[in-house]
Structure formats: C-alpha cells, structure tokens
Amino acid sequence: MIIARKKPVEEIITEIDPYDRILILGCNECVTVCEAGGKKEVEILASALTLHYQARGKAKTFGKATLERQCDREYLEEIRGRIHNYDAVLSLACGVGVQFAAETYTATPLLPGVDTVCLGANEERGLWTERCQACGSCVLARTGGICPVSRCAKRVMNGPCGGSANGKCELGPDTDCAWQLIIDRLKALGRLEDYEQVAPIKDWSTDRAGGPRTITREDIQL
Amino acid sequence: MSEKFEPRIVGFCCKYCAYAAADLAGSMRLSYPSNIKIIQVPCTGRIDVIHVLRALEEGADGVMIAGCLEGECHFLEGNLKARSRIDRIKHLLKKIGMDPDRVEMFNLSSAMGPRFAEIASQMTEQIQALGPTPIPRSCTPASETAA
Ligand code: SF4
Ligand code: SF4
C-alpha cells in the first residue's frame, strides 16, 4: 500500500491561507488505511482549521468530501458539480491522487495535505515500513522474498557491502542489513545455492531511472 | 461586560465512574458549579479527537473528560487511550493557536462524589481564568457537512 504521513497543521495553514473557500478532499483507499487522509482525517482537519480561523475572526469555509479513489477519473467526477464553490482543494490523497485531481480540475489550485512516503506494510498500529520501490522488474524470486532494492540502502545485488555488521546496516542499529536477512532466509529455505549465483546486471531502465513509466495493457484495452 | 463570565463546559463522563460519581455528588447534596454539561459515554476510550474539536467548534469554552482511575478502567485501558488522545488534542490545539488548557482530563472512581464536585470547580475556575472561547458564540460550524 502507499504510505503517506499527515503534513504538520502549521504547514497546511500556510498553504491554504490565501484562499477563503477550501474543499478538503480525502481518499478512501491507501491513505485511509494508513490513517493520513481518509474521512476521519478530513473531519479532524476541517474542524481544527475552522477553530484556527474562527479564533482569529476570519471567515473561511471548509467543505468536506472523501472519494472512493482520487487516482481514478470516474470518482473525481463526483465533485464536478461543486468544485466551483471553492477557491482551492486541499487533497489528502497520495501524490498520485493530488496530481490526478489537479489534472481533472485545471482551474482550481490543488494543494497536498499529506506527504507521500513509500510503498510499505503495516507492522503494527502506527508503524509502517518500506517494502518495495516499484523497480519494474522484481527480483524477489532469487532473494528469498526480501527486497534488496527497497531494503538495502545501496541497492546492491550480490550480497552485503563491507558495512554490514552483526546483521545491521551501516546506516545504524535500527536498520537490518537486507542481505543478512536474505542470506538467513535462503539458508532456512535450504537454497543457499541461489545466493552463490552471480546476479546479472540489473536493468534499471524499468526503474524510475528510466524516466516516468507508462504501463500499457493491450489485453485489457478493448 | 461586568457580569461574571460563566463558562460553558462540555464534560464527557464515563458511565462507570465519573458519571456515577456525579450522581453520588448529587445524592450527597454537594454543591458544585453548574457549568459542566455532562455527556455520558460508555468509556472515555470511546472519545475521539473529533468529539472534542466539535464541542469547541460549536462554542464550548472548555471540554472536560473524566474517566476511571488509571488501572481501574471497566474496559481495561480505555482511560489510558483517552489520556494519550487528550495529550494529542492539546498538542494540536497549541499548533492551531488555541489554549490547550481548554481541554482537561481527570480520573476518579464512582465512590468519589466529593472529588467530582472538586474537579467540576477546578475545571470551571481554569476556564474562567482563560476567559470565553475565541470562537464566536453565534456560529454554527463553518465547515459544511459532507455531501
Ligand atoms: S489516490 Fe493514492 S491513496 Fe488514493 S487510492 Fe489512489 S493510490 Fe491510493
Ligand atoms: S525487487 Fe523491485 S519490484 Fe520487487 S519488491 Fe523490490 S523494488 Fe519492488
């Protein structure tokens, strides 16, 4: 899932300050699950911003809406009838949603209300960790299901670098060495021979390094 | 404005302790300020950030949350969750420029009628010292309801 983090409310206040009528637009998917931009966060933010401005005697209107997804045009259409009531939209979706909303409603300034951080997993309530960087050609089959692209700071492909010590990355004691995890896992699976094989040079053109990516699926394009 | 400021305080009280303690204070004929408008909740753990913010948004001068003594929550740790939520609300209030002291949490047991009277007075005095809410009284929330 896409993991986002709420922006500090002071930053949001600075963003929205020039506008009088602001639509706070949540998203029902990833950002709801990671509790950064769902219906509940929309309600709390609208209430906090209302308090902030009313306490200063400023009249601002905060509209609220939460769409099923902001990365699908059909759901974005749901606000077409009311978008003209607002001077700006504060979107609590991930960066994809914010941009798609901005592309759909070109006459209205779109502001991000969250920081989009990574593709991650929910370890426990309030704790998410990165697991994938969408490199576009997955190597998990030969790495025991542990991703060296997202979990190794150097993205090395053939075993740990010289900084690996006691299972930890040289980044610090909070970061496991991905390659230590991979080797331990391959050992447990009895597949250490996978580790012995030198990996071919990774084709990074499918990664972000190759420029913005487009996925075309002719089989489903009717 | 020469008359004394009488704060309007919303008091979220847990059914098993604070609400019962308020009842007891009543039966004991203890007098305490009538500024607190009590809302009974099944457990303070049920109180969410939005409930407190909405009360302030609708013109409450203060919000009091009263739950069981720590370690004695009827639902084990609802009051501890409430405590950390209240801390977060105070933090948020500070950031949006509202006085965090407008919101306060207390703990007491159902047998503590006199203590209820005491916290009611304490909370009322605390809000009196802060003065009326900066939110205009006449206002209905400026944020519209979701379509
Ligand atoms: S807009 Fe972003 S957060 Fe919302 S569903 Fe799409 S990818 Fe997930
Ligand atoms: S190898 Fe690439 S696609 Fe596979 S998990 Fe890692 S970053 Fe994601």
Side-chain angles (χ1 to χ4, degrees), chain A residues 8 29-30 32 44 53 72 85 92 129 131 134 153 156 174 200 212 221:
Chain A
E29 303 269 4
C30 319
T32 293
I44 291 172
Y53 283 105
D72 256 322
N85 294 328
L92 303 193
T129 49
R131 284 289 185 277
V156 291
D174 294 336
Q221 289 180 330

Side-chain angles (χ1 to χ4, degrees), chain A residues 8-10 13 23 39-40 43-44 46-52 54-56 60-65 82 86, chain B residues 48-50 53-54 56-58 85 92-93 95-98 134-136 139-147:
Chain A
V9 70
E10 316 87 283
I13 290 169
L23 176 65
K39 189 161 188 247
K40 193 168 162 179
E43 293 284 338
I44 291 172
S47 188
L49 294 173
T50 301
L51 285 172
H52 173 81
Q54 283 192 343
R56 273 149 200 80
K60 280 196 202 274
T61 307
F62 293 100
K64 295 179 280 189
R82 54 195 281 229
Y86 300 99
Chain B
D48 200 10
V49 180
I50 193 67
L53 292 184
R54 202 45 62 71
L56 293 171
E57 209 185 316
E58 302 210 0
R85 247 174 233 138
L92 176 63
L93 290 180
K95 295 209 161 177
I96 60 172
M98 296 264 304
I135 308 302
C139 89
T140 43
S143 50
E144 54 155 60
T145 329

Side-chain angles (χ1 to χ4, degrees), chain A residues 22 37 52 101 143:
Chain A
I22 298 123
H52 173 81
T143 58

Side-chain angles (χ1 to χ4, degrees), chain A residues 131-140 147-150 202:
Chain A
R131 284 289 185 277
C132 174
Q133 286 183 350
C135 75
S137 57
C138 194
V139 303
L140 289 176
C147 169
V149 179
S150 59
K202 189 163 164 59

Side-chain angles (χ1 to χ4, degrees), chain B residues 33-107:
Chain B
S34 58
N35 303 68
I36 315 232
K37 312 295 174 216
I38 295 181
I39 296 175
Q40 190 200 72
V41 288
C43 172
T44 49
R46 176 64 187 89
I47 301 162
D48 200 10
V49 180
I50 193 67
H51 300 131
V52 175
L53 292 184
R54 202 45 62 71
L56 293 171
E57 209 185 316
E58 302 210 0
D61 298 298
V63 180
M64 175 182 115
I65 294 91
C68 303
L69 294 171
E70 296 198 353
E72 291 179 19
C73 171
H74 195 79
F75 298 97
L76 305 179
E77 44 188 44
N79 56 352
L80 301 180
K81 289 183 174 150
R83 167 75 61 189
S84 66
R85 247 174 233 138
I86 300 309
D87 286 349
R88 258 174 283 141
I89 293 170
K90 282 172 161 284
H91 188 68
L92 176 63
L93 290 180
K94 213 182 294 168
K95 295 209 161 177
I96 60 172
M98 296 264 304
D99 202 311
D101 290 344
R102 291 200 181 272
V103 177
E104 213 59 74
M105 172 148 187
F106 299 90
N107 300 85

